Amino acid sequence: MNQEQLRNIILEAHKNRFATKKFDPTQSVDEKDWDVILESARLSPSSFGYEPWKFLVVDNSEMREDLKPIAWGAVNSLEGADKFVIALARKNVVYNSNHVKHIVEDVLGLSYSESSPQSQFFKKFQEKDFKLTDDISLYNWAVKQTYLPLANMMTTASFLGIDSCPIEGFNIDEVESYLSRKGLINLEEFGVAYMAGFGYSAQDLPTKKRQNIEDIIKII
């Protein structure tokens, strides 16, 4: 495969990716393909490598039914998508939080100290550079990062011929309350960022309409 062929394959995957409004419930995603999609989420980048996320894969049919009344934008995915994901964003990720200590020691394999140059640099970044000085701004910062694995999962799915639908159409308080009652989320640690369905579309590929490249890119 030459570079021109590779470029065409990449663009084709992006052109074929669209927010599927109706899935075919009779078609299942190959588990090896699904593993690759989930791995693309795991390998996604995050600020400082602190991975402020977690993903719930909802296979339970009863839970899918429970979610329908409180997730209006997810009904088609809950009914037809073979795979359904709820992304969680971690709260209060700061330089001296238990999560950061865990990542530094158990994932990055480094020694942790609140006074280390890495910890103090992260503290400065949050408090001075990005002004993440309260619970809301810290949480919103984490939520934004969860969209990186979402993009990677959807693009990877498209490369594999699998359709997807990102979802923000739900009552966040009711969904979080439901997941909390089920023991699936500690609301002091996590909040719901978005949902996403993966499977095979039961609709024709629509024409992709976007702004012209010159309207969104400026070389300076």
Side-chain angles (χ1 to χ4, degrees):
M1 180 186 301
N2 59 38
Q3 282 297 104
E4 186 60 27
Q5 290 172 321
L6 181 58
R7 295 186 193 105
N8 289 336
I9 289 172
I10 291 171
L11 289 178
E12 197 66 21
H14 284 280
K15 289 176 181 177
N16 289 337
R17 189 222 54 78
F18 72 104
T20 301
K21 300 300 187 291
K22 186 173 179 58
F23 286 92
D24 182 352
T26 68
Q27 294 196 65
S28 300
V29 174
D30 184 277
E31 286 303 318
K32 290 184 178 179
D33 286 344
W34 183 237
D35 288 344
V36 170
I37 292 169
L38 293 180
E39 185 69 357
S40 75
R42 190 184 75 87
L43 294 173
S44 295
S46 59
S47 184
F48 286 78
Y50 289 159
E51 303 177 39
W53 51 56
K54 189 173 183 178
F55 303 92
L56 304 177
V57 180
V58 185
D59 286 340
N60 185 285
S61 58
E62 182 178 333
M63 286 189 62
R64 287 197 179 202
E65 287 297 320
D66 290 343
L67 286 168
K68 286 181 185 179
I70 56 178
W72 52 268
V75 173
N76 289 325
S77 291
L78 289 165
E79 290 181 345
D82 185 47
K83 303 297 183 182
F84 189 83
V85 174
I86 300 176
L88 309 180
R90 188 176 285 275
K91 299 177 179 179
N92 299 312
V93 178
V94 294
Y95 78 103
N96 60 352
S97 62
N98 289 333
H99 177 70
V100 167
K101 184 174 185 293
H102 157 65
I103 293 292
V104 170
E105 292 183 340
D106 302 328
V107 179
L108 302 179
L110 302 173
S111 297
Y112 174 81
S113 168
E114 289 187 14
S115 60
S116 71
Q118 169 76 359
S119 294
Q120 290 302 305
F121 186 73
F122 183 52
K123 183 175 187 290
K124 174 184 175 296
F125 158 75
Q126 288 193 313
E127 296 178 359
K128 302 297 184 182
D129 297 335
F130 263 44
K131 302 186 185 303
L132 307 174
T133 55
D134 57 70
D135 291 346
I136 293 176
S137 61
L138 283 167
Y139 178 65
N140 288 338
W141 170 76
V143 169
K144 287 191 293 185
Q145 292 184 67
T146 68
Y147 281 78
L148 294 170
L150 173 63
N152 285 341
M153 284 191 290
M154 292 192 300
T155 302
T156 299
S158 187
F159 271 110
L160 295 170
I162 297 166
D163 298 302
S164 61
C165 182
I167 300 158
E168 290 183 329
F170 55 89
N171 185 305
I172 194 165
D173 290 335
E174 293 187 21
V175 170
E176 289 182 345
S177 177
Y178 172 77
L179 294 175
S180 176
R181 293 195 304 272
K182 290 290 185 180
L184 296 170
I185 182 174
N186 181 341
L187 295 178
E188 293 184 358
E189 295 181 353
F190 288 99
V192 173
Y194 57 80
M195 302 173 177
F198 295 86
Y200 291 93
S201 180
Q203 64 182 110
D204 294 332
L205 179 67
T207 301
K208 190 177 288 290
K209 298 180 180 179
R210 295 291 188 273
Q211 296 181 72
N212 294 326
I213 192 73
E214 59 268 20
D215 292 332
I216 62 169
I217 304 295
K218 182 176 182 179
I219 308 299
I220 59 173

